[in-house]
């Protein structure tokens, strides 16, 4: 309330033409008033004295004469000293006037100057415009140039991790002729600790334990390998090609087991669920192949209108996620008692604004899915597939090409394209940045994790594979865990004491 | 015979005004696209000056530009326009974010008036225009991002003696606060000389 009162005061003061109602009276007015009263009392006393003189001249002349003294009127005499009274003065107002007035005068002077300048500058011209204006873009439209400007900004501060994450890669391998195509999946690290990488028309196997490299296959003609996927357990590798076939290889014997046709275009994504290999095609079709049977096609799903570039089965085998170039993510539930999915999606998520290649299921919460969008979208979204809701969404400011969940820590790894070509580690569920691993000179295309979960491998368009040892288990912490388990019986000792 | 050929290739005042207005039409559309004022879906490519230029397909924008530029053409012929300003303003706060000034100078004596002709080859003029349009397209590199929803307006600075046509109004000159400006190349038809300047808000 007090500020309203103050502003009322200010307003009344600022209307300079009206009478002054608030604030201390000027000195000359007070002086006039007090001198008036003094004169009045004087006059009255004089007259009374004169009356007393005429009525009773000799009875009590002394007492009568005392009353007319000006001191007895009870008023302070009007002297030449000014003693300010704090009650009567408005200090707020005084301060306001002291501090504001000169500025205001100046600004009005400036305005005047501006007006004069304008008049002089534009003395010979008029500014005209057509009255019917062109409409603005529709509400909610965002400037598409935003993508160009906000690429390099990092969204979240890199939080100090409580463990050491090496900023340089542990090892760098050459990957000549790796195809720089966002829609392919050219790398997989199997449970047998063998990394399969497709370089052009070749597939190489790199044994991470021994360091041996062998060539598994070479396609003929202009064909190239579009996707690779290791079976969950074992030495079987599925290879998708430009011809639209899925080849099955036994890598222990380096022998092709079978060729499964069915697609009309290249097979850009593969995912295993037990004996079923699911393949996604450029035509938008998803096929489920039963690798044990002669009639291998279990189901054909046409839900995506464009190339399927991401496929992932959840670790418990109950859900399949597929992402396409049509900016859609579909989640399918497995048929009861089978290892392939239903023909109708359980959830369809259309929130991404670009192709979704990066898909990853959370290893410790089976219903949590992470998805990442391409250049126009750049978001990582976390979904709860039980409820079909988006739990988290974070703008990474650059293309998300790959996503992985850490096994040893509650963290998420993402591979990015332009502008920093970095691999980023995120804390889950806070989604704060833990570390940025920089080094690739072109965009990161694929990510893979070693079977023990300690090492990340990133394949870049700069034809290198970089190994990052960023999830090494903390020996102290694992010891601590064992210690707590062992310490439990000691509670008994405490009781005794 | 030689005189006839000469006359055939000469540009008169009306033709020069046409060239200037064509340039403005392409330039303004290009700015609207490059600065991201409207969704890119509403633009289609057109080939001109040896460049592919994105032109708005929105009927209201097309109509606005054709009326404004049509009126401008009349005034250009009568030597009444000094400047055309494309003002980009925030829709919500009406703050002026950016201004593109197209300053027009008239070459030759005023007495020549509407009879003046230019011998400058059309090809050379088009090349000059192409250079300016290329500069406009590359201006995205240094201009700040227009993050808010923006609209545009065209203000024509005319001489005092112009009659106000119907549906036209006198506008307040729009100034950019804390401004910085960049001058582009200029081109000339030997009748009209066009200089393009962009003024933008300097954030830092």
């Amino acid at each position: 309330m007090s500020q309203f009162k103050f502003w009322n005061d200010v307003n009344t003061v600022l209307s300079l033409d009206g009478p002054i109602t608030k604030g201390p009276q000027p000195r000359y007015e007070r002086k006039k008033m007090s001198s008036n009263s003094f004169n009045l009392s004087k006059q009255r006393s004089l007259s009374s004295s004169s009356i007393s003189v005429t009525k009773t001249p000799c009875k009590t002349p002394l007492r009568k004469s005392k009353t007319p003294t000006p001191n007895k009127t009870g008023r302070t005499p009007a002297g030449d000293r000014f003693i300010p009274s704090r009650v009567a003065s408005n200090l707020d107002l005084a301060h306001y006037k002291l501090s504001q007035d000169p500025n205001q005068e100046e600004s009005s002077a400036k305005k005047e100057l501006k007006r004069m300048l304008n008049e002089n500058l534009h003395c010979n011209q008029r500014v005209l415009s057509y009255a019917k204006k062109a409409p603005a873009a529709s509400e909610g439209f965002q400037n598409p140039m935003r993508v160009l400007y906000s690429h390099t900004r990092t969204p979240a501060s890199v939080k100090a991790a409580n463990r050491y994450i090496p900023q340089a890669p542990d090892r760098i391998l050459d990957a000549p002729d790796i195809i720089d195509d966002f829609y392919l999946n050219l790398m997989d690290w199997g449970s047998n600790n063998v990394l399969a990488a497709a370089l052009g028309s070749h597939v190489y196997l790199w044994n991470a334990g021994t360091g041996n490299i062998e060539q598994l296959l070479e396609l003929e003609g202009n064909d190239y390998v579009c996707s690779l996927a290791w079976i969950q357990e074992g030495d079987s590798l599925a290879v998708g090609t430009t011809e639209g076939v899925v080849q099955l290889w036994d890598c222990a014997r380096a022998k092709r087991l079978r060729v499964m046709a069915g697609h009309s275009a290249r097979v850009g994504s593969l995912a295993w669920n037990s004996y079923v290999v699911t393949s996604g095609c450029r035509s938008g079709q998803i096929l489920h192949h039963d690798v044990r049977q002669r009639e291998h096609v279990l189901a054909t799903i046409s839900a995506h209108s464009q190339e399927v570039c991401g496929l992932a089965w959840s670790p418990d085998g109950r859900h399949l996620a597929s992402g396409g170039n049509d900016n859609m993510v579909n989640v399918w539930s497995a048929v009861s008692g089978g290892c392939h999915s239903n023909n109708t999606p359980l959830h369809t998520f259309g929130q991404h604004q670009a192709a979704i290649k990066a898909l990853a299921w959370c290893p410790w919460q089976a219903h949590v899915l992470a998805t990442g969008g391409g250049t126009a979208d750049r978001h990582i979204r976390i979904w709860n597939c039980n409820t079909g809701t988006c739990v988290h969404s974070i703008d990474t400011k650059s293309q998300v090409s790959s996503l992985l969940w850490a096994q040893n820590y509650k963290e998420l790894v993402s591979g990015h394209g332009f502008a920093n070509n970095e691999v980023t580690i995120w804390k889950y569920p806070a989604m704060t940045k833990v570390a940025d691993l920089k080094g690739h000179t072109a965009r990161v295309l694929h990510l893979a994790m070693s079977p023990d979960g300690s090492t990340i491998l990133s394949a870049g368009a700069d034809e290198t594979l970089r190994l990052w040892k960023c999830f090494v288990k903390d020996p102290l912490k694992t010891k601590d865990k064992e210690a707590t388990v062992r310490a439990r019986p000691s509670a008994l000792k405490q009781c005794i004491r | 015979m030689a005189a006839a050929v000469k006359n055939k290739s000469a540009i008169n005042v009306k033709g020069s005004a046409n060239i200037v207005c064509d340039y403005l039409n392409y330039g303004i559309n290009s700015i609207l696209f490059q600065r991201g004022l409207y969704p890119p879906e509403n633009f289609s490519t057109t080939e001109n000056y040896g460049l592919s230029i994105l032109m708005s397909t929105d009927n209201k924008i097309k109509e606005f530009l054709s009326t404004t530029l049509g009126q401008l053409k009349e005034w250009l012929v009568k030597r009444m326009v000094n400047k055309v300003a494309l003002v980009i303003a925030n829709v919500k706060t009406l703050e002026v974010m950016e201004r593109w000034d197209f300053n027009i100078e008239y070459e030759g004596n005023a007495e020549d008036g509407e009879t003046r002709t230019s011998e400058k080859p059309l090809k050379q003029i088009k090349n000059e225009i192409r250079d300016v349009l290329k500069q406009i397209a590359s201006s995205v590199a240094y201009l700040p991002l227009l993050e808010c929803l923006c609209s545009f307006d065209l203000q024509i600075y005319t001489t005092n003696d112009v009659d106000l046509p119907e549906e036209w109004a006198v506008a307040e000159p729009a100034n950019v606060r804390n401004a910085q400006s960049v001058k582009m190349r200029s081109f000339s038809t030997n009748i009209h000389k066009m200089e393009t300047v962009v003024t933008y808000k300097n954030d830092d």
Side-chain angles (χ1 to χ4, degrees), chain A residues 35-46:
Chain A
S35 63
N36 272 351
S37 65
F38 174 75
N39 285 343
L40 265 175
S41 63
K42 218 177 192 175
Q43 273 172 4
R44 209 197 301 138
S45 65
L46 276 175

Side-chain angles (χ1 to χ4, degrees), chain B residues 158-171:
Chain B
T158 62
T159 49
N160 247 344
D161 51 345
V162 76
D163 296 322
L164 197 68
E166 226 174 278
E167 291 186 314
W168 282 69
V170 177

Side-chain angles (χ1 to χ4, degrees), chain A residues 114 118 122-146 148-150 153, chain B residues 34-39 60 64 67 82 140 143 145-146 149 152-160 162 164 167-171:
Chain A
K114 214 174 171 185
N118 253 342
H122 307 298
C123 54
N124 283 327
Q125 65 184 31
R126 301 170 75 179
V127 184
L128 303 179
S129 71
Y130 189 48
K132 284 183 186 164
K133 308 285 184 213
S138 57
E139 193 66 33
F141 162 72
Q142 271 196 323
N143 194 332
M145 298 298 154
R146 189 175 49 96
L148 276 180
Y149 285 86
S150 54
R153 256 187 274 153
Chain B
Q34 297 293 348
R35 305 300 290 128
L37 259 68
Y38 294 95
K60 281 190 176 153
F64 172 79
T67 338
N82 307 323
V140 205
L143 290 175
L145 171 67
L146 300 168
L149 199 64
F152 79 98
D153 193 14
L154 277 182
Q155 296 182 339
I156 302 179
Y157 290 63
T158 62
T159 49
N160 247 344
V162 76
L164 197 68
E167 291 186 314
W168 282 69
V170 177

